């Protein structure tokens, strides 16, 4: 069920969106063919608090704001679609749920396969007009995937142990 956003939710969303933009476009590593950052942290928090639909929307807004303020490449709509799908996945796995090893690893694997190893190679190939079997698409991406699946799974799991998310869920439902 889609709930309407109240003032408090909009403020929290705005803060998380600002964190996404900063982590991905200021503190992240970006080359023409690969991005590495910790922007998944506010994305997962948004997923826990607001669910699939609003997290998808929030990540699309973060993509627009990031591209408007700190563009490092021409805009391409495929990455906006990635943002929406990724937000939907985090919401699906973490909305009002406890973070366990199982859902941490499952969410990371699904995003790595669907977004990082299927859709993004397709968008990069279209955007830069390089063949889909080019090493420039795959070499850095496969190395990142091997390192990043364990790194992101571990950080996600520990996020669940440090965040007072049960308190948040009641806050956001009762106010
Ligand atoms: N267009 C839009 N709309 N947003 C962007 O961020 C964007 N960025 C570029 C070009 N057009 C854009 C710059 N090039 C990746 C790498 C380079 C790149 C765009 C995307 C990439 O590897 N993206 C993966 C991983 C993202 C992550 O883990 O943060 C992806 O799933 O999108």
């Amino acid at each position: 069920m889609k709930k309407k956003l109240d003032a408090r939710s909009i403020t929290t969303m705005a803060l998380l969106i600002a964190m996404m933009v900063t982590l991905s476009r200021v503190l992240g590593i970006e080359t023409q063919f690969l991005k590495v950052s910790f922007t998944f942290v506010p994305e997962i928090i948004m997923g826990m608090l607001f669910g699939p639909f609003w997290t998808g929307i929030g990540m699309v807004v973060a993509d627009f704001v990031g591209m408007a303020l700190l563009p490092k490449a021409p805009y391409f709509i495929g990455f906006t679609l990635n943002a929406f799908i990724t937000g939907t996945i985090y919401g699906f796995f973490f909305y009002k749920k406890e973070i366990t090893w199982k859902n941490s690893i499952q969410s990371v694997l699904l995003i790595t396969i669907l977004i990082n190893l299927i859709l993004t190679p397709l968008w990069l190939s279209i955007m830069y007009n390089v063949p889909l079997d080019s090493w420039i698409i795959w070499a850095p991406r496969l190395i990142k995937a091997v390192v990043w699946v364990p790194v992101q799974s571990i950080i996600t799991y520990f996020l669940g142990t440090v965040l007072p998310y049960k308190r948040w869920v009641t806050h956001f439902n009762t106010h």
Side-chain angles (χ1 to χ4, degrees):
M1 257 261 293
K2 277 175 238 161
K3 278 188 312 203
K4 275 211 270 182
L5 292 181
D6 59 11
R8 180 203 196 109
S9 303
I10 289 172
T11 316
T12 310
M13 290 274 285
L15 181 68
L16 290 168
I17 288 168
M19 287 171 70
M20 289 172 195
V21 173
T22 311
L23 284 170
S24 64
R25 317 236 173 207
V26 183
L27 302 175
I29 300 167
E30 175 171 340
T31 71
Q32 277 192 312
F33 288 91
L34 191 74
K35 291 184 185 181
V36 183
S37 80
F38 292 99
T39 191
F40 65 86
V41 173
E43 292 167 4
I44 287 167
I45 296 174
M46 195 178 276
M48 292 163 75
L49 292 174
F50 298 107
F53 178 76
W54 289 114
T55 308
I57 298 291
M59 283 189 56
V60 167
V61 172
D63 182 55
F64 287 159
V65 171
M67 287 306 284
L69 296 180
L70 301 157
K72 292 184 192 154
Y75 175 86
F76 186 81
I77 188 127
F79 299 110
T80 307
L81 183 67
N82 280 8
F84 186 80
I85 296 172
T86 304
T88 307
I89 292 173
Y90 285 135
F92 175 80
F93 276 96
F94 299 118
Y95 187 41
K96 294 184 180 173
K97 293 201 178 83
E98 290 210 31
I99 296 184
T100 60
W101 282 115
K102 189 169 167 226
N103 62 8
S104 308
I105 294 169
Q106 282 177 341
S107 68
V108 176
L109 282 179
L110 181 57
I111 286 166
T112 300
I113 293 167
L114 180 64
I115 304 292
N116 299 65
L117 298 178
I118 296 178
L119 290 178
T120 300
L122 208 59
W123 308 144
L124 291 172
S125 157
I126 296 168
M127 185 169 72
Y128 294 122
N129 204 12
V130 293
L132 196 50
D133 61 0
S134 162
W135 68 272
I136 187 81
I137 289 182
W138 292 102
R141 198 155 286 284
L142 290 172
I143 296 169
K144 179 191 167 183
V146 168
V147 176
W148 213 245
V149 167
V151 169
Q152 190 177 336
S153 303
I154 291 167
I155 294 175
T156 304
Y157 178 77
F158 283 100
L159 260 185
T161 68
V162 296
L163 296 175
Y165 57 91
K166 283 189 185 131
R167 204 144 30 102
W168 289 346
V169 169
T170 37
H171 260 306
F172 278 89
N173 286 338
T174 55
H175 290 266

